[in-house]
Amino acid sequence: MEESIPKPAENNNQINSNSAEEENPLAFISSDYFLGSEPELASENRKRKRKRRSRSLEKANKLAKNESSVKVKKTRPNYFLSVRLNSKGIQEKFNEFFNYVSKKFPEYNKMLINPQQIHITLFVLHLGNEDSIGNAKNCLLTSKDIMKDSCPNYKPSLHFQGIDVFNGGRVVYTTPKNNDDLVAFTKLTYALHEKFQREGFVNNDIKKEFKPHVTLMKLRRKTIIKHNDGKKKEVIKRILPEVYEHFKESVELSSMLLPKGDDGYYARLGNIEF
């Protein structure tokens, strides 16, 4: 028995034959899908891809911008390696400076570093928990060989001279004399830092940052001082030179005729600093 072939519908967009749908389901895909020719479809696909790439690039740029705008919080140091300067000769000199400033400029007392706290900082580090503290302690205690290699025959004897300021006059400091002892001391500092760096405690460039010095005075934050009359107040932004210049090394022109100064020394008419 021959099966009759249904006549095509006059309107291709309206096909109602259920039997034909069963035989060839693909024939009933909406004709709107095939409206564009092959070149037109390819062009449309390229446009979609360009839009997707553009949106992806825009999203990536926005994400990168947001990441760059976030400030990375630096870990604040809470421990430091140092050498305490407690020998008799050094302590006498620092006490002399401390007593002079505290008596002559009592309003600056809060800025003075107590002679018992005088030290040279080798480098700073951050220790976040008890384990890291214990590991850092062990790192130091196992560094005796480094000290022997850096100073095989003697202990460095540092001699301090002069006085100066940095940070806009907010810190008064003195420095060790540049000699063989300082070279050995610097070598020791570099070697210790290298070991602590291997252990992951520090990651800075010690050769650029190590500036051996001893802080004598430090102006912290905003400081208001009262003068001798107890009434006049003043906001201090820097430590005035007259507070520490007495201890600067210089060549001076002094008078043998004029009355001596409050410190008992000859009246100074002028000077040039080293």
Side-chain angles (χ1 to χ4, degrees):
M1 180 177 179
E2 293 184 357
E3 185 177 347
S4 61
I5 300 174
K7 295 181 180 181
E10 294 181 359
N11 186 349
N12 289 334
N13 290 330
Q14 295 180 353
I15 300 178
N16 298 318
S17 174
N18 293 331
S19 61
E21 182 178 356
E22 292 175 358
E23 292 179 4
N24 188 10
L26 295 180
F28 293 92
I29 296 176
S30 172
S31 61
D32 290 341
Y33 185 83
F34 300 98
L35 284 178
S37 64
E38 289 185 1
E40 290 174 337
L41 288 173
S43 176
E44 187 67 26
N45 288 337
R46 285 196 296 270
K47 288 180 181 180
R48 290 195 186 99
K49 288 181 180 179
R50 283 197 296 268
K51 286 182 180 179
R52 285 197 295 268
R53 284 197 297 267
S54 178
R55 285 195 296 267
S56 299
L57 183 60
E58 184 180 351
K59 186 177 180 180
N61 289 337
K62 187 179 293 185
L63 181 62
K65 186 177 180 180
N66 290 338
E67 288 178 351
S68 63
S69 64
V70 177
K71 293 184 179 179
V72 178
K73 188 177 180 180
K74 291 185 178 180
T75 305
R76 185 175 181 179
N78 55 358
Y79 286 82
F80 61 97
L81 239 66
S82 66
V83 174
R84 185 179 179 184
L85 304 175
N86 58 353
S87 67
K88 184 178 179 181
I90 288 180
Q91 280 292 309
E92 286 177 352
K93 287 295 182 182
F94 291 148
N95 272 289
E96 181 183 346
F97 177 84
F98 185 89
N99 293 333
Y100 172 84
V101 174
S102 61
K103 290 178 181 178
K104 195 170 182 64
F105 303 94
E107 62 271 24
Y108 286 84
N109 278 353
K110 292 182 179 179
M111 304 171 207
L112 283 165
I113 305 298
N114 191 309
Q116 297 300 320
Q117 298 175 347
I118 292 293
H119 63 275
I120 292 184
T121 298
L122 307 187
F123 52 88
V124 298
L125 56 158
H126 178 83
L127 304 176
N129 52 51
E130 292 298 326
D131 288 340
S132 60
I133 293 172
N135 292 336
K137 181 179 178 180
N138 184 65
C139 185
L140 176 62
L141 294 178
T142 56
S143 301
K144 291 182 179 179
D145 290 342
I146 292 177
M147 299 186 71
K148 290 180 180 179
D149 292 340
S150 302
C151 312
N153 302 318
Y154 68 101
K155 295 180 180 179
S157 179
L158 301 180
H159 300 269
F160 295 87
Q161 62 178 13
I163 199 166
D164 209 339
V165 296
F166 67 83
N167 196 16
R170 299 176 66 86
V171 177
V172 179
Y173 70 97
T174 183
T175 55
K177 188 177 181 180
N178 191 5
N179 54 22
D180 292 340
D181 291 275
L182 180 59
V183 172
F185 184 80
T186 302
K187 181 181 177 183
L188 169 62
T189 302
Y190 289 172
L192 286 171
H193 185 274
E194 183 180 352
K195 182 176 181 180
F196 273 76
Q197 193 168 37
R198 288 197 304 268
E199 297 293 332
F201 293 108
V202 291
N203 61 359
N204 60 312
D205 188 347
I206 188 66
K207 293 185 178 180
K208 288 184 178 180
E209 297 183 13
F210 181 57
K211 309 291 183 186
H213 68 278
V214 175
T215 301
L216 303 175
M217 298 181 70
K218 190 173 184 179
L219 178 58
R220 300 176 179 88
R221 303 186 185 90
K222 179 180 178 182
T223 301
I224 300 176
I225 62 173
K226 289 183 180 181
H227 291 274
N228 294 334
D229 55 13
K231 297 179 181 179
K232 186 179 178 182
K233 295 182 180 181
E234 183 180 357
V235 177
I236 297 297
K237 296 182 180 179
R238 67 186 182 94
I239 300 171
L240 298 178
E242 53 261 33
V243 176
Y244 55 82
E245 65 181 1
H246 173 76
F247 289 85
K248 278 194 169 184
E249 295 178 348
S250 62
V251 177
E252 303 173 346
L253 173 63
S254 302
S255 171
M256 293 183 288
L257 303 176
L258 295 174
K260 292 182 175 60
D262 295 337
D263 57 359
Y265 193 69
Y266 295 96
R268 185 178 63 181
L269 305 180
N271 70 294
I272 54 173
E273 298 171 0
F274 285 107

